[in-house]
């Protein structure tokens, strides 16, 4: 039963992330991408799970590096992406 609840929660989270207009990228403590939604890929180009933050676009890489150095959350980040 607990496993089923966990599956349902993960499916719910995945649906929310895939429908969001805002880009979402998360990294683990070592700086490797562990979650990315379609909007982030549309904004920044190819981002792969397991990719290190240092190899991401400069604005995103710098933001994530600052967050990792300070061990703090980044709640909101807005940037202009010129296409």
């Amino acid at each position: 039963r607990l496993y089923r609840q966990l599956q349902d929660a993960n499916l719910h989270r995945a649906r929310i992330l895939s429908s969001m207009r805002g880009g979402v990228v998360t990294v683990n403590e070592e700086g490797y991408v562990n979650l990315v939604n379609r909007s982030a890929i549309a904004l920044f180009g190819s981002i792969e799970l397991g990719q290190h933050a240092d190899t991401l676009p400069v604005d995103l890489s710098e933001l994530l590096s600052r967050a990792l150095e300070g061990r703090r959350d980044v709640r909101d980040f807005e940037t202009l992406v010129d296409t």
Side-chain angles (χ1 to χ4, degrees), residues 16-73:
I16 290 171
L17 286 170
S18 68
S19 67
M20 289 178 66
R21 288 180 36 186
V24 177
V25 178
T26 66
V27 294
N28 63 19
E29 290 181 354
E30 289 81 34
Y32 292 96
V33 174
N34 57 12
L35 186 142
V36 59
N37 71 352
R38 283 186 239 160
S39 295
I41 293 169
L43 287 169
F44 294 106
S46 178
I47 299 174
E48 301 290 330
L49 294 178
Q51 183 175 353
H52 197 272
D54 289 345
T55 65
L56 296 172
V58 175
D59 288 346
L60 184 57
S61 176
E62 289 176 359
L63 175 75
L64 292 171
S65 293
R66 284 197 315 263
L68 287 168
E69 288 170 7
R71 299 281 189 225
R72 61 182 173 81
D73 291 343

